Amino acid sequence: MTRYATALAADPANTYRQIDLAGRTAGADPHRLVALLYEEGSAALRTAAHAIETRGFAVKSERVARATAILFALEAGLDFDRGGDVARTLATFYHGLRQQILAASLGSDPGPFRDAAQSLDEIAAAWASVRD
C-alpha cells in the first residue's frame, strides 16, 4: 500500500511548489496565467544561476529545461493575427532568450541566467501595465 506521506517525503519542497502553483492557476484568467509564466520563468533562471554558484548541476539542468519550456509556451501562445508586430517582436525575443539560456547552460557563469531573468522581468512589467 502506497502511503501519501512517503510521496511527500520524497521531495516535499517540490510537492509544496506544485500545490502553490495549482492554487495560483486555478480560476486565473489568461492575462494572469501569462504573468505566472513570466514569474516562473524568471524564478527558474535565478535558481539556475544560484545552482551554478552552489555546484548544484542537476538543479541547474532542471531549471534551464523549465525556463526554456516556459519560453516555448509563451511563444506558442502568441496570436500573430491579432498581435501583429508586437507578437512578432515577442516571438523574436523569446527565441533569442532561449538561445542565450541554452548557450549559458554550457558554461559555468551565472551572469547570463540573471541577465535573462532581468529581461524577462522587464517584459513581465510591460505585460502587467497592459492590464492597468
Side-chain angles (χ1 to χ4, degrees):
M1 179 171 136
T2 302
R3 296 182 50 119
Y4 295 109
T6 303
L8 178 63
D11 188 358
N14 185 51
T15 301
Y16 288 122
R17 275 193 302 275
Q18 294 301 319
I19 291 169
D20 175 57
L21 185 59
R24 290 188 297 156
T25 58
D29 64 81
H31 192 275
R32 179 65 186 136
L33 291 174
V34 170
L36 285 172
L37 286 173
Y38 287 135
E39 289 173 25
E40 289 293 315
S42 180
L45 292 166
R46 284 189 168 74
T47 302
H50 179 72
I52 288 173
E53 295 168 340
T54 61
R55 303 185 55 80
F57 300 114
V59 171
K60 173 189 135 184
S61 294
E62 191 273 328
R63 297 285 87 191
V64 165
R66 180 160 179 84
T68 54
I70 287 170
L71 289 168
F72 274 118
L74 286 164
E75 187 173 356
L78 293 172
D79 184 340
F80 292 96
D81 292 331
R82 292 177 41 202
D85 288 340
V86 172
R88 284 187 286 284
T89 299
L90 284 171
T92 301
F93 169 75
Y94 297 147
H95 177 78
L97 203 56
R98 275 195 320 270
Q99 297 305 316
Q100 177 183 341
I101 292 164
L102 292 174
S105 71
L106 300 175
S108 59
D109 181 4
F113 292 112
R114 288 197 175 94
D115 292 344
Q118 180 62 35
S119 294
L120 205 53
D121 289 343
E122 290 172 15
I123 297 298
W127 179 254
S129 71
V130 170
R131 172 96 2 129
D132 295 340

